[in-house]
Amino acid sequence: MTLTSSIFNVEAFREALRNSTTSGVSVVTINEVAREAGVSISTVSYALSGKRSVALETRQRIEAAVARLEYSPNASARMLAGRRTNIFAVTEPMRSDTHIPTHMAFVLATAVAARRHDYDILLLTEEQARLGMSRVASTGLADGILVLDVAPNDDRVALARSIKTPTVFIGVPDDHDGLLCVDLDFESAAREAVDRLADLGHTRIGLLGMTETAYETSNFAPRVRSAALARAAERGVQIEFRTTGHIQTDRTGTRAALVELQKAGVSALMFHCTQEAQSVVVGELLDQQVQVPYDISLISVAASFDIDELPLPIDVIPLVPAESCELAVELLLSSLSDEPPEPGLRLIPPRYAPRGTVGPRIA
Amino acid sequence: MTLTSSIFNVEAFREALRNSTTSGVSVVTINEVAREAGVSISTVSYALSGKRSVALETRQRIEAAVARLEYSPNASARMLAGRRTNIFAVTEPMRSDTHIPTHMAFVLATAVAARRHDYDILLLTEEQARLGMSRVASTGLADGILVLDVAPNDDRVALARSIKTPTVFIGVPDDHDGLLCVDLDFESAAREAVDRLADLGHTRIGLLGMTETAYETSNFAPRVRSAALARAAERGVQIEFRTTGHIQTDRTGTRAALVELQKAGVSALMFHCTQEAQSVVVGELLDQQVQVPYDISLISVAASFDIDELPLPIDVIPLVPAESCELAVELLLSSLSDEPPEPGLRLIPPRYAPRGTVGPRIA
DNA sequence: TTGAAAGCGCTACCAA
DNA sequence: TTGGTAGCGCTTTCAA
């Protein structure tokens, strides 16, 4: 059961000494497991990683030893020897003018997607969104980097180009040459929404968008708006665009926008705004006894929340954080492999989920 | 400038070979810096860590070499040799019935506080909040653990007791024997609010609280309510308690609660609810031309947002995430030191910030 | 003030 | 199918 030979074993003695003098409970290492199982440490390593076949009986002995000693391999040692930290960094500035729940949904989705592939997420926010990015790259703390809350003109684009750590953007910056970017195809989504309404005879469509500032600081708000406007022009329909108010304290902006849109005589409403705003508008319409879709058609574009939580669930082209983040993680993983992916955009095709809130325009 | 001796240097040759055959740019190690500066690696290490004095001239030579080679020490190697990962794990389940912006504020605050002490944050959410906690403990991935979104009856309490990795709770679970917990002293805060109002003659106070579920799943909502009720009873004043509605879609619950409280004839309002809810109520009062504090007094208890973003800034006892998290990080650090702190509660005394919205009751 | 060298606890190559 | 062992790139003791 032990490898100790009949003569005095200096190594074993030293180790015993080390473990006994350590304060408190000594941490179990692969050496102890090997001794306990009567095999070499390499066999233990292979038995646990499965990278080499190990005789059934041997493996069982090792597993028993692992269980008995409650061994778990030391993360730092694995990182150093294995040249992988199994950590991805997520850089998310969390600018104060953003809608926190939406951004949080993406951060959480990266964590879930990463764990699926045995990776953990290191969170870089505030000023560390930029500083931390080069730091984790140069120290090798992270094997890859996920970039969230991408601005049209984002510092992190230049940073990403200057480091060798694989980096994937979730969102599309204006200048994305040579970068790997994952995102919903917002333009297609916006066009599809316009088309659906135009096909049904709507000629005057309200678009309730995000806050003013979102159209300067986010990469996707302007993409939805401009694609919608362009397609509307092609289809000969008119779009009335309105923004919603301040994120946390808006109590009038959204209602005011609805009033304006109704005055403008729109027969359909496209939403590209927060759950809160959509909840207010839909609730208001219900209060007004408006018949949906008879009096007005409703579509939500790129909603990243559960549409069925609205007072009335409406047609939606969902933005699924889990989907973007899962793809981003897979790209990062394959960037670490032998055949790294080509740089470029990976736009996820929109999927339309009907709820019966879109109908023909009633003259 | 080089240590290569006149005879063939096998080691140097091997290393050159390794570096040249590596795909792409080889990563600079401490060995290269040492050679470049003409010193030993231990001197480089000490020069960079400052743990041993190094002659000025030597240090400068090393710094120059570091700059020239763009060296940064490998994180994994440091972790293994230094027996510190410089990573703290944050466990935050992010239950869907919670107010995301509030919870996010705490996560961000831990990240900022940790960086101040050269630590990074590993984010454990969803099911990893529990699984990840034991994992990072047993693998030594994190040097310490911060527990967020603490439930009154939290699984992670038992977990924390079963691991040897230092753990600090931000929030107070019902059973907190032997744990290190940091939090605002919610009870004191609630009592102080009640006292201020009672002192000014108010005998009927409205308390607008969080959602129903928060009083079962959060550790602090019930603490505020029960402390307020208890003190009110002592002072002989009456508290009308109301909850607000669903977090993301509440468009009527809050208004309804306000109407009820006004009907009940309260002369003062204590808030312990979201920024959104407080924003709605304060805005509504302004619309009603209610004079504050002449007609009604307003106090916000344990608000973790910027009170000055409300339509009318009101008296507040702020809950400052940065403060709790900074203290929690410091406790974690000292848990790693030679004199670890005593377990127990660390309740932060409330501070009252007046805005002129509390006045005497007008009969 | 500095250097040599023994680890840290693994992974993975090379032999057997 | 298994074992021996050379690293991985640092930190830190022990000597000089």
Side-chain angles (χ1 to χ4, degrees):
Chain A
M1 215 52 169
T2 159
L3 290 182
T4 310
S5 62
S6 53
I7 62 166
F8 185 66
N9 187 320
V10 180
E11 264 313 306
F13 177 73
R14 275 201 195 132
E15 183 170 334
L17 197 66
R18 262 200 309 279
N19 286 338
S20 64
T21 53
T22 304
S23 67
V25 190
S26 72
V27 174
V28 179
T29 73
I30 198 172
N31 282 288
E32 284 133 79
V33 176
R35 193 177 326 130
E36 177 85 5
V39 297
S40 72
I41 64 165
S42 55
T43 301
V44 174
S45 178
Y46 285 119
L48 294 180
S49 70
K51 291 187 181 175
R52 189 163 89 174
S53 62
V54 171
L56 177 63
E57 195 266 344
T58 309
R59 179 182 13 269
Q60 288 174 337
R61 215 143 27 91
I62 291 172
E63 279 162 3
V66 165
R68 213 170 317 130
L69 300 178
E70 296 186 318
Y71 167 72
S72 25
N74 177 276
S76 304
R78 291 185 88 141
M79 291 180 194
L80 183 57
R83 284 102 178 285
R84 285 266 174 114
T85 63
N86 275 47
I87 291 174
F88 288 143
V90 164
T91 151
E92 160 59 280
M94 286 288 172
R95 299 179 262 127
S96 59
D97 58 335
T98 56
H99 188 242
I100 306 285
T102 300
H103 288 278
M104 218 26 227
F106 279 87
V107 174
L108 296 188
T110 62
V112 172
R115 272 316 300 162
R116 276 233 188 61
H117 302 276
D118 209 43
Y119 266 78
D120 277 299
I121 289 299
L122 200 80
L123 185 62
L124 305 174
T125 54
E126 314 272 309
E127 79 277 354
Q128 285 296 316
R130 282 149 183 90
L131 286 181
M133 200 170 149
S134 33
R135 182 169 54 81
V136 300
S138 61
T139 61
L141 215 199
D143 294 337
I145 299 174
L146 294 164
V147 181
L148 290 183
D149 192 10
V150 175
N153 192 318
D154 204 300
D155 304 1
R156 294 170 295 174
V157 167
L159 244 176
R161 293 199 176 109
S162 73
I163 61 183
K164 69 286 162 221
T165 303
T167 303
V168 171
F169 286 71
I170 300 180
V172 183
D174 287 345
D175 168 17
H176 50 262
D177 263 27
L179 301 181
L180 256 173
C181 303
V182 171
D183 214 353
L184 173 68
D185 189 340
F186 284 97
E187 283 88 351
S188 289
R191 285 192 291 262
E192 175 163 355
V194 170
D195 281 341
R196 295 236 176 193
L197 294 172
D199 290 347
L200 288 166
H202 296 276
T203 54
R204 216 175 169 72
I205 301 171
L207 172 56
L208 187 60
M210 321 191 77
T211 60
E212 293 280 3
T213 54
Y215 289 89
E216 279 140 34
T217 59
S218 97
N219 75 89
F220 55 90
R223 284 156 65 199
V224 167
R225 179 174 61 179
S226 60
L229 291 176
R231 178 54 61 104
E234 286 171 32
R235 298 291 308 251
V237 313
Q238 202 179 337
I239 285 194
E240 289 287 332
F241 174 74
R242 293 291 182 285
T243 56
T244 45
H246 180 281
I247 297 160
Q248 311 291 340
T249 57
D250 178 40
R251 52 178 213 93
T252 52
T254 302
R255 282 159 203 269
L258 173 59
V259 169
E260 286 180 29
L261 290 171
Q262 288 185 307
K263 273 204 188 120
V266 302
S267 61
L269 230 36
M270 282 173 56
F271 296 105
H272 184 220
C273 48
T274 65
Q275 175 173 14
E276 291 84 349
Q278 297 186 36
S279 200
V280 164
V281 169
V282 172
E284 193 80 16
L285 292 173
L286 292 181
D287 288 352
Q288 292 176 14
Q289 314 271 10
V290 170
Q291 297 300 311
V292 178
Y294 189 82
D295 297 323
I296 196 167
S297 290
L298 302 178
I299 299 186
S300 184
V301 179
S304 61
F305 58 88
D306 179 3
I307 205 75
D308 295 317
E309 283 190 350
L310 290 183
L312 173 74
I314 66 179
D315 281 30
V316 62
I317 299 173
L319 166 57
V320 186
E323 208 170 351
S324 307
C325 295
E326 178 69 39
L327 178 53
V329 164
E330 281 164 9
L331 285 169
L332 231 32
L333 288 171
S334 64
S335 299
L336 296 171
S337 73
D338 298 328
E339 340 114 42
E342 290 295 311
L345 304 187
R346 301 288 191 281
L347 296 184
I348 299 171
R351 279 168 332 203
Y352 193 94
R355 291 288 189 283
T357 61
V358 167
R361 167 181 166 224
I362 308 298
Chain B
M1 216 51 168
T2 160
L3 289 183
T4 312
S5 61
S6 52
I7 63 168
F8 184 68
N9 186 322
V10 180
E11 263 313 307
F13 176 74
R14 276 201 195 131
E15 183 170 333
L17 197 67
R18 263 200 310 278
N19 287 338
S20 64
T21 52
T22 305
S23 67
V25 190
S26 72
V27 174
V28 179
T29 73
I30 198 173
N31 282 290
E32 284 133 80
V33 175
R35 194 178 324 132
E36 176 85 6
V39 296
S40 72
I41 65 165
S42 56
T43 301
V44 173
S45 178
Y46 284 121
L48 294 180
S49 71
K51 291 186 182 175
R52 188 164 88 174
S53 62
V54 171
L56 177 62
E57 195 266 345
T58 309
R59 173 171 30 261
Q60 287 174 338
R61 214 143 28 91
I62 291 171
E63 279 161 3
V66 166
R68 211 170 318 132
L69 300 177
E70 296 185 320
Y71 167 73
S72 26
N74 178 276
S76 305
R78 290 184 89 140
M79 291 179 193
L80 183 56
R83 284 100 175 286
R84 285 269 174 111
T85 63
N86 276 43
I87 291 174
F88 288 143
V90 165
T91 152
E92 161 59 278
M94 285 287 171
R95 298 178 263 128
S96 59
D97 58 334
T98 56
H99 188 242
I100 306 285
T102 299
H103 289 277
M104 215 29 223
F106 279 87
V107 174
L108 296 188
T110 61
V112 171
R115 272 317 298 162
R116 276 234 189 59
H117 302 276
D118 209 43
Y119 265 78
D120 277 298
I121 290 299
L122 201 80
L123 186 62
L124 305 174
T125 54
E126 314 271 308
E127 79 276 355
Q128 285 296 315
R130 281 150 184 88
L131 287 180
M133 200 169 147
S134 33
R135 184 170 51 83
V136 301
S138 61
T139 61
L141 215 198
D143 295 336
I145 299 175
L146 294 164
V147 181
L148 290 182
D149 193 10
V150 175
N153 193 318
D154 205 299
D155 303 2
R156 295 170 295 175
V157 168
L159 246 177
R161 294 200 177 108
S162 74
I163 62 183
K164 69 286 162 220
T165 303
T167 302
V168 172
F169 285 70
I170 300 181
V172 183
D174 287 346
D175 167 17
H176 50 262
D177 262 26
L179 301 181
L180 256 173
C181 303
V182 171
D183 214 353
L184 174 67
D185 189 340
F186 284 97
E187 284 87 351
S188 288
R191 285 192 291 264
E192 176 163 356
V194 171
D195 281 341
R196 295 234 176 197
L197 295 171
D199 288 348
L200 288 166
H202 296 274
T203 54
R204 217 177 167 71
I205 301 171
L207 172 56
L208 187 61
M210 320 190 79
T211 60
E212 293 280 3
T213 56
Y215 289 88
E216 280 140 33
T217 60
S218 98
N219 75 89
F220 55 90
R223 285 157 64 200
V224 167
R225 180 175 59 179
S226 60
L229 291 176
R231 178 55 59 105
E234 287 172 32
R235 300 290 308 251
V237 313
Q238 201 180 338
I239 285 195
E240 289 287 332
F241 174 74
R242 293 292 182 287
T243 56
T244 45
H246 179 282
I247 296 161
Q248 312 291 338
T249 56
D250 176 40
R251 54 180 210 90
T252 51
T254 303
R255 282 160 203 269
L258 174 59
V259 169
E260 287 179 28
L261 290 171
Q262 288 185 307
K263 271 202 190 123
V266 303
S267 61
L269 231 37
M270 279 173 57
F271 296 107
H272 184 219
C273 50
T274 65
Q275 173 172 16
E276 290 84 349
Q278 296 187 37
S279 201
V280 164
V281 169
V282 172
E284 193 81 15
L285 292 174
L286 292 181
D287 288 353
Q288 293 175 13
Q289 315 271 10
V290 169
Q291 297 300 310
V292 178
Y294 189 83
D295 297 325
I296 195 167
S297 290
L298 302 177
I299 299 187
S300 185
V301 178
S304 62
F305 57 89
D306 179 3
I307 204 76
D308 295 317
E309 282 188 352
L310 290 183
L312 173 74
I314 67 180
D315 281 30
V316 62
I317 299 173
L319 166 57
V320 186
E323 209 171 349
S324 308
C325 295
E326 177 69 40
L327 177 52
V329 164
E330 280 163 9
L331 284 170
L332 232 32
L333 288 172
S334 63
S335 299
L336 297 170
S337 73
D338 298 328
E339 341 112 42
E342 289 296 312
L345 305 187
R346 301 290 191 281
L347 296 183
I348 299 172
R351 278 167 331 201
Y352 192 94
R355 291 286 189 285
T357 60
V358 167
R361 167 180 165 226
I362 308 299

